[in-house]
């Protein structure tokens, strides 16, 4: 992933050996931050801990931008899930959870940038 980062994108890998559910990567792309949990799957299941599901759900519920990125080892594609999809992903697997599919990192990042803009634009709108 690091080798394919767009310009003006800075990523920090988080080494969290104590649990707590904090995602693997903190990304700042031209001023727009997000968190990404990285997973690899050989089949339909994705191994997420209850702490990871709780952290991602809570962060997303408060307007944060966070995602679960799954690389499938057999199909060799990349799947992007919204952060609030952790419980659904844990219970229903890949096939039971809405996601975007990419064949390479470049299209993934092309789709991620507008999603970040949408999340932060919504957060900045005045409350009615």
């Amino acid at each position: 992933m690091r080798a394919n980062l767009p310009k003006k994108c800075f990523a920090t890998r988080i080494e969290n050996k104590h649990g707590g559910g904090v995602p693997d990567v903190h990304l700042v792309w031209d001023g727009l931050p997000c968190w990404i949990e990285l997973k690899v799957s050989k089949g339909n299941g994705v191994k997420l801990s209850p702490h990871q599901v709780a952290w991602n759900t809570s962060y997303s519920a408060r307007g944060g931008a966070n995602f679960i990125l799954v690389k499938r080892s057999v199909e060799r594609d990349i799947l992007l899930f919204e952060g609030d999809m952790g419980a659904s992903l844990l219970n229903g697997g890949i096939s039971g959870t809405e996601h975007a599919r990419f064949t390479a990192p470049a299209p993934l990042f092309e789709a991620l940038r507008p999603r970040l803009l949408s999340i932060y634009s919504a957060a900045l709108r005045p409350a009615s």
Side-chain angles (χ1 to χ4, degrees):
M1 185 169 151
R2 185 178 296 277
N4 294 289
L5 290 175
K7 291 181 181 179
K8 296 187 178 183
C9 193
F10 178 79
T12 302
R13 176 90 161 129
I14 307 297
E15 297 295 335
N16 185 356
K17 298 178 192 280
H18 301 290
V22 176
D24 300 311
V25 177
H26 183 254
L27 188 75
V28 177
W29 188 355
D30 200 19
L32 300 173
C34 72
W35 288 92
I36 301 175
E37 180 64 42
L38 303 174
K39 294 294 180 185
V40 175
S41 177
K42 294 180 182 176
N44 187 53
V46 176
K47 190 174 180 181
L48 289 166
S49 75
H51 291 294
Q52 289 171 323
V53 172
W55 192 101
N56 278 283
T57 301
S58 295
Y59 191 81
S60 182
R62 288 158 182 83
N66 58 312
F67 305 91
I68 300 166
L69 189 64
V70 178
K71 180 171 177 138
R72 295 200 298 179
S73 57
V74 175
E75 293 84 356
R76 303 185 61 84
D77 54 0
I78 305 166
L79 307 177
L80 183 68
F81 299 86
E82 299 288 332
D84 64 350
M85 303 306 307
S88 178
L89 189 56
L90 182 63
N91 295 323
I94 290 169
S95 64
T97 307
E98 185 177 331
H99 61 274
R101 181 184 169 273
F102 305 95
T103 56
L108 163 70
F109 284 113
E110 286 175 23
L112 186 59
R113 176 89 177 152
R115 182 66 192 120
L116 291 174
L117 288 169
S118 174
I119 291 168
Y120 288 111
S121 293
L124 293 172
R125 286 189 199 110
S128 51

